Amino acid sequence: MQPMLPMEKYFGQFELVHAFYGAMPTGVSVSETGRIFVCFPKWGDDVQFTVAEIVEGELQPYPNLETNLVNTANITMSFVSVQSIVADGRGTLWVLDTGAPNFSEPIQGGAKLVAVDLSTNTIRRVYTFTEDVVLPTTYLNDVRLDFRVGRAGYAYITDSSSRGPGAIIVVDLDNGNAFRRLNGAVSTSPDSHFLPKVEGRILMNRNPDGSTSPFRMASDSLAISVDGKVLFYAPLTSRHLFSISTEALRDRRIQDMNLSQNVQYWGEKGASDGMITGSKGTVYAGDYENNSIRKILPNGAMETIAHDPRILWPDTFSIGPDQYLYVIVNQLHRQARFHYGKDLREKPYSLLRFRIDEFPAPTF
């Protein structure tokens, strides 16, 4: 009789909220009333609508199907390829449209931040960007909001470019003025020494013709402190966590070349895609190399709260009014681009939730 050998220990209790059998999702956000929204960027799957609401277990295009159909005559009022959505806790869903299907150069006017009124389910305002803010290499990835500064608040957006400089884009929500910060800085750039390993194998671009190249993506993960004064961020291909004062980010009197002096280093948190802050100041981050979810306390202490083989690439996080942490799990690393053109993803993709006994960090 063969002895039972010791096995890796798994822990953390989660519930399945929704199983996706169609296109691969990346983003999730839960509103203050418990409505759940998801998004599907156009990376090659058959994406019939790039933003949806889960209503009684079914996906419905949001705010409607027409907005999700690309209208070249009115590109600013239609969603092209949405990477991220964030409900702000006060009645608005913010939709971050890359305008860049399949990581292409952003379509002019297609890259934008859209405010959708959740009470009327209509677009209230669209913020577009000038060519010195959204570059030909830009990939708008995630957004965080704070309405306690300025006349109408500020938005902070990560540019996670794989071909150009990473950056944090700062948007004045009153007048729409936007500018790049930490452009190409070490803290917003891929870690050139980092070799990602997922499911025991090195993750790299592997093309159908047999050629390969390193997987490199810039600033991606984003979380904002409870008081809105600190922005936490991390490149996608890095295990390092950084933060910076939002006041310094907004202060254009500080030249960008000098801004890195305001960056704080928090150490290794694991390689994460999604990140979010709770009302107690806890930062939650995924660890896609280890099928895990980690929390970082305000004093910098880190603890793994879930480790499970089914957490196959934890992507975006959201915290609901029910004090659950919601996370999209989408097997991103199994896409064809990493496996010589062979798609290894197995449906369904999932939306999971974990009880954390913490509300989302306030924005106002």
Side-chain angles (χ1 to χ4, degrees), residues 234-305:
L236 181 66
T237 52
S238 165
R239 298 189 187 103
H240 303 294
L241 177 63
F242 302 94
S243 74
I244 189 169
S245 145
T246 54
E247 183 181 6
L249 277 176
R250 296 189 303 271
D251 187 354
R252 300 194 72 179
R253 293 172 299 179
I254 303 174
Q255 291 188 328
D256 200 52
M257 60 191 292
N258 300 325
L259 190 60
S260 288
Q261 296 171 15
N262 294 272
V263 171
Q264 284 196 298
Y265 177 58
W266 288 73
E268 284 204 7
K269 55 146 178 45
S272 59
D273 197 332
M275 218 157 60
I276 195 95
T277 316
S279 59
K280 298 175 185 175
T282 312
V283 175
Y284 294 88
D287 181 348
Y288 60 73
E289 290 187 290
N290 295 295
N291 310 98
S292 297
I293 295 170
R294 193 159 288 126
K295 69 178 182 182
I296 301 128
L297 300 177
N299 66 3
M302 300 187 191
E303 178 188 338
T304 302
I305 62 171

Side-chain angles (χ1 to χ4, degrees), residues 83-84 96-98 113 129 133-134 137-144 155-161 165-171 179-182 187-189 217-223 231-236 242 244 249 273-275:
Q83 173 70 27
S84 191
L96 187 62
D97 191 347
T98 66
L113 179 64
F129 303 101
V133 175
V134 167
T137 55
T138 290
Y139 192 81
L140 301 178
N141 198 296
D142 211 346
V143 58
R144 293 292 175 259
Y156 307 96
I157 299 169
T158 44
D159 180 349
S160 68
S161 177
I168 294 169
I169 296 168
V170 180
V171 188
F179 47 96
R180 294 175 70 87
R181 298 297 258 161
L182 297 171
S187 64
T188 58
S189 300
M217 290 198 80
S219 44
D220 179 329
S221 310
L222 201 53
L231 196 71
F232 299 90
Y233 62 97
L236 181 66
F242 302 94
I244 189 169
L249 277 176
D273 197 332
M275 218 157 60

Side-chain angles (χ1 to χ4, degrees), residues 51-125:
V51 180
E53 181 177 6
I54 301 176
V55 181
E56 295 179 354
E58 299 293 328
L59 293 172
Q60 296 188 356
Y62 188 82
N64 50 51
L65 183 58
E66 183 185 9
T67 305
N68 281 271
L69 300 175
V70 177
N71 180 357
T72 51
N74 194 4
I75 202 79
T76 58
M77 292 298 286
S78 62
F79 298 156
V80 180
S81 180
V82 172
Q83 173 70 27
S84 191
I85 53 201
V86 174
D88 64 8
R90 59 173 210 169
T92 301
L93 182 72
W94 295 83
V95 175
L96 187 62
D97 191 347
T98 66
N102 288 313
F103 301 97
S104 66
E105 183 174 326
I107 300 166
Q108 192 165 12
K112 55 192 176 286
L113 179 64
V114 182
V116 182
D117 189 317
L118 289 173
S119 61
T120 61
N121 301 315
T122 56
I123 292 175
R124 190 173 68 244
R125 186 163 177 183

